[in-house]
Amino acid sequence: MSERGEDQNPQPISERDQRFLSACLDLARMSEGETSPNPMVGAILVKEDRILGQGYHRRAGDPHAEVEALNSAGGEAFGSTLYVNLEPCVHHGRTPPCADALIDAGVARVIACMIDPDPRVNGRGFRRLLEAGIHVTHGLLRERALALNDKFVKFVTTGIPFVTLKAAMTLDGKIAPARGSSQWITSEKAREEAHRLRYAHDAVLVGVGTLLADNPGLTARWASGKPLVRAILDSHLRTPPDSRALANDDAGSTLVYTLPDPPSAARRSLERRPGVEVIPLPSKTARLELSAVLEDLGKRRIMSVLVEGGGQVLGSALDEGLADRLALFIAPRILGNSGLGVFQGLPGRELASAVPVMEWSSREIGSDILIEGRLACRPTGKDPECSPD
């Protein structure tokens, strides 16, 4: 079975099929920020244009979307069609394989958006369904499905977290006055949206300069909130032990990354705080390597990271090709030449080598504008969705 969407049991794809798959994608998104390290999945069981049951994967450890739909349908699932945005799983985790549940229920046809790129699945779920006599079609709305689970796809194919760069800036690209004084640049509505962005990620990452200048709590005050991992880049352990980020008020944790052989007294002082861990990482220079930090976060099953600053960290992430998405909140203000630039860590480039932002969009949030876009990934051979320009 091909990743490009070919079907070994071809049947016509109707407008109805597209409509139900679109509804699956909407269902799946209801759990945004809750399912990591699992994907967001929605499922609908249909027979003769009648919806028998539907469901979505609510959080890791809870029943998968297919099981939710089967439970909702009760005994009516026999002979039905399942619409789902991702290939049903075939492996045992915290829940049994969904492919087996569909076979046992007598589902006749499965229409899905895409193959699950998780090496434990990757076509095996579809093959098991086919072997059981279930008709399988996939590939419709694949691009939408990929965009929905972009964090999951990158993580399971590379082991590296999906990285979003977020900044609040003025019209002329400044994130703070030259003195670095802490004050809000954007409106309250924009700050609410920034908390939603945090909620959609597993971890928030900042440099120690941002910590010293702003003393942020780095929590996700959205919906009912959730525990976050706070990653702090601090080459020389300048993080004050009483920093708000170290309070872990959301029952999350804080990882302070530093260079080898950090001052023992400073390390002890930080690690006295509950939930705080100091992590020395080797480096070829006198600065922490962001790539090594991301690799360590991946080993800790952190699927996605929101990088919030400062300008050196944001610019370095761009320069090294480590970022996947961009979210820039732009306020209608101008600071002038004395302000601190949003991408200070990005060396100057010629126009031909400027960092491209693709598939970008903009929308108003309060008095501000949010610009979002996909960043060109750097081909490494690990990511199947990344190819040279």
Side-chain angles (χ1 to χ4, degrees), residues 106-134:
V107 170
R109 187 182 183 198
V110 171
I111 301 177
C113 294
M114 61 177 283
I115 283 177
D116 184 343
D118 188 326
R120 297 171 298 177
V121 187
N122 200 24
R124 295 181 183 88
F126 287 150
R127 281 195 290 272
R128 183 172 294 184
L129 297 175
L130 288 165
E131 290 165 359
I134 296 176

Side-chain angles (χ1 to χ4, degrees), residues 368-381:
D368 308 309
I369 294 175
L370 171 59
I371 294 181
E372 298 177 282
R374 182 170 66 85
L375 293 163
C377 52
R378 177 171 295 175
T380 62

